[in-house]
Amino acid sequence: MAESTPATAPQQPSASSPSPAGSPPPTTAPPADASTPTPASPTAAKTPAAESQIAVDSNPIYHPQPLDDDDDDDDNDSSLGDENALSTASISSSILQYRKLHGRTFHNFGGADKVEYWAPNDDAQNDQLDINHHLLNLALDNKLFFAPLSKPTRVLDVGTGTGMWAIDFADEFPDCEVTGIDLSPIQPTWVPPNCKFELDDASQPWTFPDNHFDYIHFRYMIGCFKDWPAVYREAYRCLKPGGWIEHMDCTADVLSDDGSLPKDTVFVQWKKVFKEAGDKMGQTFEVVDNDNYVGWLKDAGFKDVENTIIKTPVGSWPADPKWKEVGQFNQYMLEGGIEGLGLYIITNVLGWKYEEMQVFIAKVRAGLRNKNWHSYCVWGAAWGQKPYE
Protein backbone atom coordinates (compact mmCIF):
# COMPACT_ATOMS: atom_id res chain seq x y z
CA MET A 1 0.00 0.00 0.00
CA ALA A 2 1.08 3.61 -0.53
CA GLU A 3 2.83 5.37 2.32
CA SER A 4 0.40 7.36 4.44
CA THR A 5 0.83 10.71 6.05
CA PRO A 6 -0.43 10.60 9.64
CA ALA A 7 -1.89 13.65 11.27
CA THR A 8 -0.95 16.29 13.75
CA ALA A 9 -2.06 15.73 17.31
CA PRO A 10 -5.40 17.34 18.18
CA GLN A 11 -5.62 19.88 20.93
CA GLN A 12 -7.24 17.82 23.68
CA PRO A 13 -7.50 19.27 27.17
CA SER A 14 -6.03 16.20 28.93
CA ALA A 15 -4.09 14.42 26.21
CA SER A 16 -0.41 14.62 25.45
CA SER A 17 0.74 15.12 21.89
CA PRO A 18 2.27 12.07 20.18
CA SER A 19 5.20 12.36 17.87
CA PRO A 20 3.99 12.41 14.25
CA ALA A 21 5.29 9.70 11.97
CA GLY A 22 5.59 11.77 8.81
CA SER A 23 5.06 15.04 7.01
CA PRO A 24 1.85 16.16 5.29
CA PRO A 25 1.42 16.16 1.55
CA PRO A 26 0.96 19.56 -0.07
CA THR A 27 -2.65 20.70 0.02
CA THR A 28 -4.42 22.68 -2.65
CA ALA A 29 -7.45 24.66 -1.62
CA PRO A 30 -9.24 27.88 -2.50
CA PRO A 31 -8.15 30.94 -0.49
CA ALA A 32 -9.83 31.06 2.89
CA ASP A 33 -11.74 34.05 4.17
CA ALA A 34 -9.33 36.02 6.32
CA SER A 35 -12.00 36.44 8.97
CA THR A 36 -12.53 32.70 9.34
CA PRO A 37 -9.74 30.55 10.84
CA THR A 38 -9.14 27.29 9.00
CA PRO A 39 -9.15 23.95 10.86
CA ALA A 40 -5.98 21.94 11.27
CA SER A 41 -5.27 19.51 8.48
CA PRO A 42 -6.07 15.85 9.06
CA THR A 43 -2.63 15.08 7.60
CA ALA A 44 0.46 14.70 9.77
CA ALA A 45 3.18 17.27 10.33
CA LYS A 46 6.18 17.84 12.51
CA THR A 47 5.30 21.53 12.58
CA PRO A 48 2.82 23.05 15.06
CA ALA A 49 -0.87 22.58 14.27
CA ALA A 50 -1.23 26.22 13.28
CA GLU A 51 1.18 25.66 10.41
CA SER A 52 -0.71 22.63 9.12
CA GLN A 53 -4.06 23.92 7.92
CA ILE A 54 -6.62 22.90 5.35
CA ALA A 55 -9.15 25.29 3.89
CA VAL A 56 -12.86 24.88 4.44
CA ASP A 57 -15.02 24.29 1.40
CA SER A 58 -17.60 27.08 1.24
CA ASN A 59 -20.07 24.85 -0.60
CA PRO A 60 -19.62 21.31 0.73
CA ILE A 61 -21.28 18.32 -0.90
CA TYR A 62 -23.30 15.98 1.29
CA HIS A 63 -22.17 12.41 1.97
CA PRO A 64 -22.74 9.41 -0.36
CA GLN A 65 -26.16 7.89 -0.94
CA PRO A 66 -27.41 5.43 1.71
CA LEU A 67 -26.86 1.75 1.24
CA ASP A 68 -29.58 -0.33 -0.38
CA ASP A 69 -32.08 -1.82 2.05
CA ASP A 70 -31.29 -5.52 2.40
CA ASP A 71 -33.94 -6.32 5.02
CA ASP A 72 -35.77 -8.68 2.68
CA ASP A 73 -32.63 -10.52 1.59
CA ASP A 74 -32.34 -13.69 3.67
CA ASP A 75 -28.75 -14.14 2.56
CA ASN A 76 -27.78 -11.10 4.60
CA ASP A 77 -29.12 -12.33 7.94
CA SER A 78 -26.31 -12.01 10.48
CA SER A 79 -26.73 -15.53 11.84
CA LEU A 80 -28.70 -17.55 9.30
CA GLY A 81 -27.22 -16.63 5.91
CA ASP A 82 -26.10 -19.52 3.70
CA GLU A 83 -22.60 -18.08 3.42
CA ASN A 84 -22.11 -17.93 7.17
CA ALA A 85 -23.73 -21.33 7.60
CA LEU A 86 -21.03 -22.83 5.39
CA SER A 87 -18.21 -21.16 7.29
CA THR A 88 -19.59 -21.93 10.76
CA ALA A 89 -20.85 -25.48 10.28
CA SER A 90 -18.78 -26.78 13.19
CA ILE A 91 -19.65 -23.93 15.56
CA SER A 92 -21.83 -24.64 18.57
CA SER A 93 -25.39 -23.59 17.82
CA SER A 94 -25.53 -21.63 21.08
CA ILE A 95 -22.95 -19.19 19.73
CA LEU A 96 -25.23 -18.46 16.77
CA GLN A 97 -28.19 -17.81 19.06
CA TYR A 98 -27.26 -14.18 19.43
CA ARG A 99 -28.47 -12.09 22.33
CA LYS A 100 -30.98 -9.40 21.39
CA LEU A 101 -31.54 -5.87 22.64
CA HIS A 102 -34.20 -3.63 21.11
CA GLY A 103 -34.06 -5.43 17.78
CA ARG A 104 -30.25 -5.53 17.56
CA THR A 105 -28.13 -8.67 18.00
CA PHE A 106 -25.00 -9.12 20.10
CA HIS A 107 -22.42 -11.90 20.40
CA ASN A 108 -23.06 -14.97 22.53
CA PHE A 109 -19.51 -16.27 22.84
CA GLY A 110 -18.82 -17.55 26.34
CA GLY A 111 -21.96 -15.98 27.76
CA ALA A 112 -22.58 -12.35 28.64
CA ASP A 113 -21.47 -12.95 32.23
CA LYS A 114 -17.99 -13.87 30.95
CA VAL A 115 -17.45 -11.57 27.97
CA GLU A 116 -19.06 -8.14 27.86
CA TYR A 117 -18.74 -6.55 24.44
CA TRP A 118 -20.82 -3.47 23.79
CA ALA A 119 -21.27 -3.28 19.98
CA PRO A 120 -23.87 -5.20 17.93
CA ASN A 121 -22.83 -7.90 15.47
CA ASP A 122 -25.75 -7.57 13.04
CA ASP A 123 -25.70 -6.54 9.40
CA ALA A 124 -26.48 -2.90 10.16
CA GLN A 125 -23.41 -2.52 12.36
CA ASN A 126 -21.20 -4.70 10.18
CA ASP A 127 -21.91 -2.39 7.25
CA GLN A 128 -20.59 0.47 9.36
CA LEU A 129 -17.42 -1.49 10.17
CA ASP A 130 -16.79 -2.01 6.47
CA ILE A 131 -17.41 1.68 5.72
CA ASN A 132 -15.05 2.62 8.55
CA HIS A 133 -12.38 0.35 7.08
CA HIS A 134 -12.85 2.06 3.73
CA LEU A 135 -12.60 5.60 5.11
CA LEU A 136 -9.45 4.71 7.05
CA ASN A 137 -7.98 3.29 3.86
CA LEU A 138 -8.72 6.62 2.20
CA ALA A 139 -7.26 8.59 5.10
CA LEU A 140 -4.09 6.47 5.19
CA ASP A 141 -3.64 6.30 1.42
CA ASN A 142 -4.36 2.56 1.52
CA LYS A 143 -1.65 1.86 4.06
CA LEU A 144 -2.66 -1.00 6.38
CA PHE A 145 0.03 -0.52 9.03
CA PHE A 146 2.75 1.81 10.32
CA ALA A 147 5.16 -0.74 11.81
CA PRO A 148 8.29 -1.35 9.69
CA LEU A 149 7.40 -4.89 8.65
CA SER A 150 9.65 -6.98 6.43
CA LYS A 151 8.26 -10.14 4.82
CA PRO A 152 6.02 -11.31 7.70
CA THR A 153 5.15 -15.01 7.66
CA ARG A 154 2.54 -15.21 10.45
CA VAL A 155 0.19 -12.39 11.43
CA LEU A 156 -2.64 -12.20 13.97
CA ASP A 157 -5.54 -9.74 13.71
CA VAL A 158 -7.20 -9.43 17.13
CA GLY A 159 -10.89 -8.46 17.05
CA THR A 160 -11.02 -8.88 13.29
CA GLY A 161 -14.73 -7.96 13.01
CA THR A 162 -15.86 -8.45 9.43
CA GLY A 163 -12.31 -9.43 8.50
CA MET A 164 -11.68 -6.68 5.95
CA TRP A 165 -8.27 -5.70 7.33
CA ALA A 166 -7.12 -9.32 7.53
CA ILE A 167 -8.27 -10.01 3.96
CA ASP A 168 -6.53 -6.92 2.62
CA PHE A 169 -3.35 -7.79 4.47
CA ALA A 170 -3.46 -11.36 3.15
CA ASP A 171 -3.84 -10.01 -0.39
CA GLU A 172 -0.86 -7.71 0.08
CA PHE A 173 1.32 -10.49 1.54
CA PRO A 174 0.31 -13.72 -0.24
CA ASP A 175 3.16 -15.69 1.39
CA CYS A 176 2.00 -14.74 4.89
CA GLU A 177 -0.46 -16.76 6.99
CA VAL A 178 -3.04 -14.32 8.40
CA THR A 179 -5.33 -15.34 11.27
CA GLY A 180 -8.23 -13.18 12.42
CA ILE A 181 -9.96 -13.85 15.73
CA ASP A 182 -13.28 -12.49 16.98
CA LEU A 183 -16.20 -13.28 19.29
CA SER A 184 -18.70 -13.53 16.40
CA PRO A 185 -18.57 -15.58 13.16
CA ILE A 186 -19.43 -12.61 10.93
CA GLN A 187 -16.55 -12.95 8.46
CA PRO A 188 -17.05 -13.94 4.81
CA THR A 189 -16.44 -17.45 3.51
CA TRP A 190 -14.58 -16.51 0.34
CA VAL A 191 -11.19 -15.26 1.49
CA PRO A 192 -7.61 -15.50 0.23
CA PRO A 193 -6.12 -18.98 0.74
CA ASN A 194 -3.61 -17.56 3.23
CA CYS A 195 -6.33 -16.04 5.45
CA LYS A 196 -8.43 -17.80 8.09
CA PHE A 197 -10.77 -16.79 10.89
CA GLU A 198 -11.26 -18.32 14.33
CA LEU A 199 -13.61 -17.72 17.25
CA ASP A 200 -11.66 -16.70 20.31
CA ASP A 201 -11.76 -14.41 23.33
CA ALA A 202 -8.58 -12.38 23.50
CA SER A 203 -9.34 -11.26 27.06
CA GLN A 204 -8.56 -14.80 28.26
CA PRO A 205 -5.09 -16.40 28.29
CA TRP A 206 -4.10 -16.97 24.67
CA THR A 207 -3.70 -20.49 23.33
CA PHE A 208 -1.15 -19.49 20.68
CA PRO A 209 2.41 -20.74 21.26
CA ASP A 210 5.31 -18.57 22.37
CA ASN A 211 7.36 -16.73 19.74
CA HIS A 212 4.87 -17.54 16.99
CA PHE A 213 3.83 -14.36 15.13
CA ASP A 214 5.80 -11.73 13.26
CA TYR A 215 3.10 -9.09 13.71
CA ILE A 216 0.00 -8.71 15.91
CA HIS A 217 -2.59 -6.13 14.94
CA PHE A 218 -5.41 -4.49 16.93
CA ARG A 219 -7.92 -2.03 15.51
CA TYR A 220 -11.11 -0.43 16.87
CA MET A 221 -10.99 -2.21 20.22
CA ILE A 222 -11.93 0.53 22.71
CA GLY A 223 -14.11 -0.70 25.56
CA CYS A 224 -13.18 -4.34 24.92
CA PHE A 225 -10.83 -5.34 27.73
CA LYS A 226 -10.68 -4.91 31.48
CA ASP A 227 -6.91 -5.37 31.52
CA TRP A 228 -5.12 -3.98 28.47
CA PRO A 229 -1.65 -4.49 29.98
CA ALA A 230 -2.42 -8.22 30.37
CA VAL A 231 -3.56 -8.42 26.72
CA TYR A 232 -0.37 -6.72 25.58
CA ARG A 233 1.69 -9.15 27.67
CA GLU A 234 0.01 -12.07 25.91
CA ALA A 235 0.83 -10.46 22.58
CA TYR A 236 4.43 -10.00 23.72
CA ARG A 237 4.68 -13.70 24.61
CA CYS A 238 3.26 -14.81 21.28
CA LEU A 239 5.44 -12.54 19.14
CA LYS A 240 8.76 -13.71 17.81
CA PRO A 241 11.80 -11.76 19.03
CA GLY A 242 11.94 -8.77 16.72
CA GLY A 243 8.22 -9.02 15.97
CA TRP A 244 5.93 -6.02 15.99
CA ILE A 245 2.67 -5.11 17.69
CA GLU A 246 0.40 -2.32 16.41
CA HIS A 247 -2.80 -0.88 17.81
CA MET A 248 -4.98 1.64 15.96
CA ASP A 249 -7.99 2.99 17.79
CA CYS A 250 -10.21 6.05 18.22
CA THR A 251 -11.30 8.29 21.03
CA ALA A 252 -14.90 9.28 21.77
CA ASP A 253 -14.02 12.89 20.99
CA VAL A 254 -15.53 15.01 18.25
CA LEU A 255 -13.38 18.14 18.06
CA SER A 256 -12.64 21.19 15.94
CA ASP A 257 -9.53 23.34 15.55
CA ASP A 258 -11.04 26.56 14.18
CA GLY A 259 -13.50 27.55 16.90
CA SER A 260 -16.53 26.56 14.83
CA LEU A 261 -17.58 23.91 17.36
CA PRO A 262 -19.23 25.43 20.47
CA LYS A 263 -17.94 24.23 23.82
CA ASP A 264 -21.34 22.92 24.96
CA THR A 265 -22.30 20.71 21.99
CA VAL A 266 -23.94 17.32 22.33
CA PHE A 267 -20.53 15.79 21.58
CA VAL A 268 -19.39 16.77 25.08
CA GLN A 269 -22.13 14.58 26.55
CA TRP A 270 -21.31 11.85 24.01
CA LYS A 271 -17.74 11.74 25.33
CA LYS A 272 -19.01 11.74 28.91
CA VAL A 273 -21.34 8.79 28.21
CA PHE A 274 -18.45 6.62 27.01
CA LYS A 275 -16.26 7.74 29.90
CA GLU A 276 -18.91 6.82 32.48
CA ALA A 277 -19.80 3.52 30.79
CA GLY A 278 -16.15 2.50 30.56
CA ASP A 279 -15.61 3.29 34.23
CA LYS A 280 -18.71 1.31 35.20
CA MET A 281 -17.79 -1.75 33.10
CA GLY A 282 -14.13 -1.54 34.02
CA GLN A 283 -13.40 -1.56 30.27
CA THR A 284 -12.04 1.84 29.38
CA PHE A 285 -12.86 3.67 26.16
CA GLU A 286 -9.86 5.94 26.79
CA VAL A 287 -7.22 3.79 25.12
CA VAL A 288 -5.75 6.49 22.89
CA ASP A 289 -6.49 9.35 25.31
CA ASN A 290 -3.42 10.60 27.19
CA ASP A 291 -1.32 8.09 25.21
CA ASN A 292 -2.51 5.34 27.56
CA TYR A 293 -1.77 2.60 25.06
CA VAL A 294 1.79 3.88 24.60
CA GLY A 295 2.46 3.47 28.32
CA TRP A 296 0.89 0.01 28.39
CA LEU A 297 3.01 -1.14 25.44
CA LYS A 298 6.19 0.05 27.14
CA ASP A 299 5.17 -1.57 30.42
CA ALA A 300 4.66 -4.87 28.58
CA GLY A 301 8.28 -4.77 27.43
CA PHE A 302 8.02 -3.40 23.90
CA LYS A 303 10.77 -1.09 22.73
CA ASP A 304 10.99 1.63 20.07
CA VAL A 305 7.32 2.47 20.67
CA GLU A 306 6.04 5.18 18.35
CA ASN A 307 2.61 6.67 17.86
CA THR A 308 0.73 9.14 15.71
CA ILE A 309 -2.67 10.82 15.48
CA ILE A 310 -5.01 10.86 12.49
CA LYS A 311 -7.88 13.33 12.26
CA THR A 312 -10.86 12.16 10.20
CA PRO A 313 -13.23 15.04 9.29
CA VAL A 314 -16.97 14.69 9.86
CA GLY A 315 -18.83 15.96 6.80
CA SER A 316 -17.74 17.52 3.55
CA TRP A 317 -16.32 20.78 4.90
CA PRO A 318 -12.67 20.23 3.86
CA ALA A 319 -11.63 21.81 0.58
CA ASP A 320 -9.01 19.13 -0.10
CA PRO A 321 -10.70 16.43 -2.26
CA LYS A 322 -9.18 13.53 -0.32
CA TRP A 323 -10.27 14.76 3.10
CA LYS A 324 -13.65 15.83 1.75
CA GLU A 325 -14.26 12.22 0.68
CA VAL A 326 -13.02 10.90 4.02
CA GLY A 327 -15.38 13.30 5.78
CA GLN A 328 -18.35 12.25 3.66
CA PHE A 329 -17.83 8.58 4.43
CA ASN A 330 -17.17 9.35 8.09
CA GLN A 331 -20.43 11.24 8.43
CA TYR A 332 -22.31 8.50 6.60
CA MET A 333 -20.75 5.83 8.81
CA LEU A 334 -21.43 7.69 12.05
CA GLU A 335 -25.01 8.59 11.21
CA GLY A 336 -25.79 5.00 10.27
CA GLY A 337 -23.90 3.43 13.16
CA ILE A 338 -24.55 5.86 16.00
CA GLU A 339 -27.44 3.87 17.49
CA GLY A 340 -25.39 0.68 17.51
CA LEU A 341 -22.49 2.49 19.14
CA GLY A 342 -24.64 3.83 21.95
CA LEU A 343 -27.47 1.33 22.45
CA TYR A 344 -25.85 -1.19 24.80
CA ILE A 345 -23.77 1.17 26.91
CA ILE A 346 -26.52 3.78 27.31
CA THR A 347 -29.40 1.43 28.13
CA ASN A 348 -27.78 -1.66 29.66
CA VAL A 349 -24.75 -0.10 31.32
CA LEU A 350 -25.93 3.40 32.24
CA GLY A 351 -29.59 2.45 32.68
CA TRP A 352 -31.27 5.05 30.48
CA LYS A 353 -34.72 4.33 29.11
CA TYR A 354 -34.75 3.35 25.44
CA GLU A 355 -36.78 6.44 24.56
CA GLU A 356 -34.28 8.70 26.35
CA MET A 357 -31.48 7.08 24.40
CA GLN A 358 -33.27 7.69 21.09
CA VAL A 359 -33.75 11.38 21.90
CA PHE A 360 -30.05 11.69 22.72
CA ILE A 361 -29.00 9.82 19.57
CA ALA A 362 -31.19 12.15 17.48
CA LYS A 363 -29.32 15.13 18.95
CA VAL A 364 -25.97 13.53 18.11
CA ARG A 365 -27.11 12.91 14.53
CA ALA A 366 -28.20 16.54 14.24
CA GLY A 367 -24.74 17.58 15.42
CA LEU A 368 -23.09 15.37 12.82
CA ARG A 369 -25.18 17.06 10.11
CA ASN A 370 -24.38 20.62 11.20
CA LYS A 371 -22.50 22.08 8.24
CA ASN A 372 -21.29 25.03 10.30
CA TRP A 373 -19.24 22.78 12.58
CA HIS A 374 -15.86 21.84 11.09
CA SER A 375 -15.44 18.80 13.29
CA TYR A 376 -13.30 15.70 13.18
CA CYS A 377 -12.84 12.40 15.00
CA VAL A 378 -9.54 11.40 16.56
CA TRP A 379 -7.74 8.16 15.70
CA GLY A 380 -4.41 7.08 17.08
CA ALA A 381 -1.92 4.38 16.14
CA ALA A 382 0.90 3.02 18.29
CA TRP A 383 3.43 0.35 17.43
CA GLY A 384 6.42 -1.26 19.10
CA GLN A 385 8.87 -4.13 18.78
CA LYS A 386 9.59 -7.16 20.93
CA PRO A 387 13.32 -7.04 21.67
CA TYR A 388 15.63 -9.64 20.17
CA GLU A 389 16.83 -12.10 22.75
Side-chain angles (χ1 to χ4, degrees), residues 1-216:
M1 304 184 69
E3 183 70 24
S4 69
T5 52
T8 54
Q11 303 302 310
Q12 301 181 67
S14 61
S16 60
S17 297
S19 300
S23 299
T27 57
T28 56
D33 188 333
S35 64
T36 304
T38 54
S41 169
T43 55
K46 293 188 177 181
T47 54
E51 297 180 22
S52 179
Q53 301 279 309
I54 187 168
V56 178
D57 193 336
S58 60
N59 186 26
I61 303 171
Y62 194 57
H63 55 69
Q65 292 298 312
L67 298 173
D68 293 334
D69 187 354
D70 293 326
D71 290 345
D72 294 328
D73 187 351
D74 292 337
D75 289 339
N76 288 320
D77 186 277
S78 62
S79 62
L80 300 177
D82 292 340
E83 182 174 310
N84 279 343
L86 287 172
S87 63
T88 59
S90 62
I91 295 175
S92 170
S93 61
S94 63
I95 293 176
L96 296 177
Q97 294 171 0
Y98 297 143
R99 296 176 294 133
K100 295 183 178 180
L101 177 65
H102 296 292
R104 306 299 296 268
T105 64
F106 294 77
H107 85 89
N108 198 29
F109 184 89
D113 58 332
K114 179 181 178 184
V115 185
E116 185 173 26
Y117 180 57
W118 53 275
N121 64 358
D122 52 26
D123 285 351
Q125 203 67 17
N126 295 342
D127 285 342
Q128 308 314 313
L129 290 178
D130 289 345
I131 296 168
N132 190 67
H133 177 71
H134 177 67
L135 75 88
L136 286 175
N137 278 353
L138 291 173
L140 301 177
D141 298 324
N142 290 322
K143 184 177 178 63
L144 292 173
F145 54 89
F146 289 101
L149 303 182
S150 177
K151 297 181 180 179
T153 58
R154 288 197 191 99
V155 165
L156 178 65
D157 184 29
V158 181
T160 194
T162 59
M164 292 299 98
W165 183 93
I167 291 170
D168 285 354
F169 193 95
D171 282 335
E172 185 171 342
F173 294 92
D175 295 328
C176 177
E177 179 185 284
V178 181
T179 302
I181 61 173
D182 202 89
L183 297 172
S184 295
I186 56 176
Q187 302 78 32
T189 301
W190 300 104
V191 298
N194 58 321
C195 181
K196 63 179 180 179
F197 299 110
E198 299 175 358
L199 284 174
D200 207 348
D201 175 14
S203 69
Q204 302 300 312
W206 292 12
T207 57
F208 299 108
D210 295 354
N211 307 319
H212 187 67
F213 295 104
D214 299 287
Y215 177 60
I216 295 178

Side-chain angles (χ1 to χ4, degrees), residues 269 273 276 346-357 360:
Q269 188 177 6
V273 160
E276 292 181 354
I346 294 175
T347 59
N348 264 33
V349 178
L350 298 183
W352 294 23
K353 293 181 179 179
Y354 179 70
E355 294 75 17
E356 294 174 331
M357 186 274 296
F360 176 54

